[in-house]
Amino acid sequence: DDGLMIFADCAVLPNPNAQELAQIAVSTAKTARDIAGIEPRIAMLSFSTKGSASHEMVDKVREATRIAKEMEPDLKIDGEMQTDAAIVPLVGASKAPGSEIAGHANVLVFPSLEVGNIAYKLVQRLAGADAVGPILQGIAAPVNDLSRGCSVDDIYKMVLIASFSFIAVLGNLIREYLPFNLLFVIFVINVGAVLIRIYLNNKNVGY
C-alpha cells in the first residue's frame, strides 16, 4: 500500500465501548475502500497480543473484534494485538502465528481517542508522515475536520478528500436507487473518482 495507513479513532469518541469500537472498525473499512482505494486489513490494537495480558481494556478490544466480524463476516480483521505485531511481519509471525493481519495491517483501530490522537501526531511530527484528516465517518454527507495546528496545504488536501468523499457517496446512492439505464452516469462518476485518486497519488497525499 506504499506506506499508506489509516488510523481510527483520532478525533471523536473519547472512550468507545466494544459495540462502538466495532462500528468504528467497520466504518473505517468502508473509508479505506471508498476514499483510499485500498482493501482494508484491520488490526484492533491493545497492549496485549492474543491473550498475552489480562485486563478489562483488553477484553473490550477482544469483544469489539468479535462484534465487527459478526457485523461484516468477510472483513479482514484481527485482534487484540500490539502495534509491533500488527505492522512488523517478523514480530507478527512470532506473536500471532497464523494471523493473516499480523504484520500486514494497513488500518489501525485504537482502543481510545487519547491513544489514537497521540499516535497519529507522534507519527506525523517525529517520522515526518503526511497526515490528512480527521475524516468523520457515519454521517450521511461528507464531513471533515482540521486540527488547529493545520497548514494551508492540510486544508487543500482536506478539500480534495471531501470532494472525493462526495463522489463516493453519490455513486453509492445512484447504484442503490436509480434504474439500470443510468449506468452511464455511474460510469462518469467513477471515472471522476479514478482521476481524483490518480491526482492524489501523484501529489503523494496520505490519509
Side-chain angles (χ1 to χ4, degrees), residues 51-174:
S52 64
S54 297
H55 192 275
E56 61 183 11
M57 294 173 66
V58 176
D59 294 338
K60 179 183 79 169
V61 176
R62 193 175 296 140
E63 176 66 7
T65 305
R66 183 192 66 78
I67 295 171
K69 289 179 178 179
E70 288 184 353
M71 294 173 66
E72 193 169 327
D74 294 331
L75 196 62
K76 294 181 180 179
I77 184 172
D78 202 1
E80 86 286 359
M81 65 178 63
Q82 294 159 286
T83 305
D84 56 353
I87 63 176
V88 181
L90 187 61
V91 177
S94 173
K95 290 187 174 183
S99 170
E100 66 173 335
I101 302 301
H104 305 284
N106 55 14
V107 176
L108 304 181
V109 176
F110 296 90
S112 69
L113 174 59
E114 62 181 350
V115 180
N117 189 272
I118 291 168
Y120 105 77
K121 289 183 183 292
L122 280 174
V123 172
Q124 179 186 23
R125 301 301 179 181
L126 296 183
D130 193 9
V132 179
I135 300 171
L136 303 187
Q137 304 177 135
I139 303 173
V143 177
N144 298 312
D145 190 15
L146 284 163
S147 170
R148 289 170 295 174
C150 70
S151 65
V152 172
D153 194 50
D154 293 332
I155 298 172
Y156 162 73
K157 291 170 183 175
M158 284 309 298
V159 170
L160 289 177
I161 296 299
S163 301
F164 191 57
S165 301
F166 173 74
I167 290 173
V169 169
L170 187 59
N172 290 336
L173 287 174
I174 289 175

Side-chain angles (χ1 to χ4, degrees), residues 26-41:
V26 172
S27 296
T28 307
K30 186 176 187 303
T31 297
R33 297 187 189 103
D34 291 348
I35 308 292
I38 62 174
E39 185 57 32
R41 299 185 298 275

Side-chain angles (χ1 to χ4, degrees), residues 6-24:
I6 299 178
F7 289 11
D9 172 14
C10 300
V12 179
L13 287 178
N15 187 26
N17 59 35
Q19 182 68 46
E20 290 167 336
L21 200 58
Q23 184 61 62
I24 288 170

